[in-house]
């Protein structure tokens, strides 16, 4: 038997991997349900999964859940698109040109250190409590991971490749499109995955503080009435949406980087 065939036999199948991925969360949920059912944990602080599911079904039946999900998803995607586009643009400019780096990077790094909560009052004063302030707050959260990873990805490109490009007579545009961006693509996609995660975090901050709609507002409203199951519904929805978007980006990464021979464990 060849080594490739032996390795293929040792590689777990998709069904096995899916089962392994479900072992830990299912175990936690079952243990949580059992402890809650027999009164070992407080129903007020930790309602059982069954109670949370009931609250979710009730919200879905009334239509409130779907409308809030739609609003939150739209805000997150708009903020990620705006912040990610600017991050890619600035990251390429700063990564390619040393003068642009000296001009822009110190200021960008200073802004990066400002917590999102610190700028919320300013955003509300400047843009009100409408959609603009929320989308811009999400864009701020999404900007920095993609910017930094784009910059680092470009600076990690092997300098010998540039020498080859010059020998082949590549124009500057051709160097960027055929050499620099493909070589920096792993870092760029990593930055995009980090940015989409922080977009959801920025969304939570925006909706918890200044909003009258969305999943974050639904959670804040439930907290005021001590409706803990609804708060957990919101938490699980954010977790599910974050997992879905990250999985989609992981699929994009796998397709775009299929030329790389990576170690898969």
């Amino acid at each position: 038997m060849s080594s490739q065939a032996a390795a293929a036999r040792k590689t777990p199948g998709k069904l096995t991997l899916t089962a392994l991925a479900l072992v830990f969360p299912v175990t936690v949920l079952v243990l949580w349900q059992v402890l809650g059912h027999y009164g070992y944990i407080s129903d007020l602080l930790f309602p059982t999964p069954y109670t949370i599911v009931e609250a979710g079904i009730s919200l879905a039946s009334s239509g409130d859940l779907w409308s809030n999900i739609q609003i939150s998803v739209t805000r997150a995607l708009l903020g990620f698109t705006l912040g990610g586009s600017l991050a890619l643009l600035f990251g390429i400019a700063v990564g390619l040109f040393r003068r642009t780096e000296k001009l822009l990077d110190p200021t960008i790094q200073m802004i990066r250190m400002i917590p999102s909560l610190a700028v919320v009052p300013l955003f509300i004063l400047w843009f009100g409590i409408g959609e603009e302030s929320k989308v811009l707050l999400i864009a701020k959260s999404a900007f920095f991971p993609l910017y930094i990873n784009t910059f680092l990805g470009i600076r990690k490109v092997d300098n010998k490749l540039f020498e080859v490009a010059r020998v082949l007579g590549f124009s500057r545009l051709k160097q960027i499109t055929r050499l620099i961006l493909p070589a920096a693509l792993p870092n760029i996609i990593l930055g995009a995955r980090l940015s989409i995660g922080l977009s959801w975090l920025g969304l939570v901050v925006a909706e918890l503080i200044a909003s009258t709609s969305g999943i974050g507002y639904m959670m804040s409203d439930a907290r005021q009435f001590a409706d803990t199951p609804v708060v957990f519904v919101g938490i699980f929805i954010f977790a599910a949406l974050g997992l879905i978007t990250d999985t989609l980006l992981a699929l994009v990464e796998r397709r775009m980087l299929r030329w790389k021979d990576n170690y898969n464990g």
Side-chain angles (χ1 to χ4, degrees):
M1 184 182 296
S2 66
S3 59
Q4 290 184 349
R9 290 188 62 182
K10 291 180 181 179
T11 303
K14 290 184 178 180
L15 188 61
T16 303
L17 293 174
T18 303
L20 284 172
L22 292 174
V23 167
F24 183 72
V26 170
T27 303
V28 170
L29 289 174
V30 170
L31 186 62
W32 183 357
Q33 178 66 39
V34 171
L35 292 175
H37 179 75
Y38 288 103
Y40 290 106
I41 55 178
S42 169
D43 283 340
L44 179 62
L45 300 179
F46 291 97
T48 62
Y50 181 78
T51 306
I52 295 169
V53 170
E54 282 187 324
I57 292 173
S58 176
L59 287 168
S61 304
S62 67
D64 292 340
L65 184 63
W66 305 118
S67 61
N68 285 320
I69 288 177
Q70 183 181 1
I71 291 168
S72 291
V73 169
T74 302
R75 287 170 178 162
L77 292 181
L78 285 174
F80 172 71
T81 302
L82 176 61
S85 301
L86 291 174
L88 195 60
L89 179 65
F90 278 83
I92 292 173
V94 171
L96 288 175
F97 307 107
R98 182 59 62 88
R99 291 181 179 177
T100 310
E101 178 190 357
K102 295 300 181 184
L103 176 66
L104 297 176
D105 190 63
T107 303
I108 291 175
Q109 295 300 335
M110 283 193 296
I111 297 173
R112 182 171 70 91
M113 298 303 171
I114 301 173
S116 294
L117 284 173
V119 300
V120 168
L122 273 180
F123 276 37
I124 293 174
L125 284 172
W126 290 343
F127 307 106
I129 60 171
E131 294 302 305
E132 293 85 355
S133 59
K134 299 177 185 61
V135 171
L136 289 173
L137 189 62
I138 296 165
K140 177 189 177 298
S141 300
F143 178 87
F144 296 104
L146 185 51
Y147 164 79
I148 291 172
N149 279 279
T150 302
F151 168 73
L152 291 177
I154 291 173
R155 290 300 172 90
K156 286 181 179 179
V157 177
D158 192 342
N159 197 47
K160 293 179 181 178
L161 297 178
F162 287 94
E163 296 176 4
V164 173
R166 282 191 290 270
V167 171
L168 294 174
F170 280 15
S171 65
R172 189 60 172 173
L173 179 62
K174 207 169 183 180
Q175 286 183 21
I176 295 172
T177 56
R178 298 286 185 87
L179 170 64
I180 298 173
L181 290 182
L185 196 58
N187 280 78
I188 293 173
I189 296 179
L190 172 62
R193 292 180 68 177
L194 295 173
S195 290
I196 194 66
L198 287 179
S199 295
W200 292 113
L201 180 61
L203 174 70
V204 173
V205 172
E207 290 187 344
L208 284 176
I209 293 176
S211 182
T212 57
S213 59
I215 300 299
Y217 168 75
M218 183 185 76
M219 295 169 62
S220 179
D221 190 54
R223 176 184 57 82
Q224 294 180 21
F225 296 99
D227 195 353
T228 314
V230 174
V231 175
F232 273 96
V233 169
I235 291 171
F236 283 124
I237 287 173
F238 276 127
L241 291 173
L243 178 62
I244 290 169
T245 50
D246 184 72
T247 302
L248 290 175
L249 283 174
L251 291 174
V252 171
E253 178 183 24
R254 194 176 305 166
R255 179 172 292 274
M256 296 184 73
L257 299 179
R258 57 181 180 271
W259 50 270
K260 290 194 68 178
D261 187 18
N262 293 326
Y263 175 68
N264 294 316

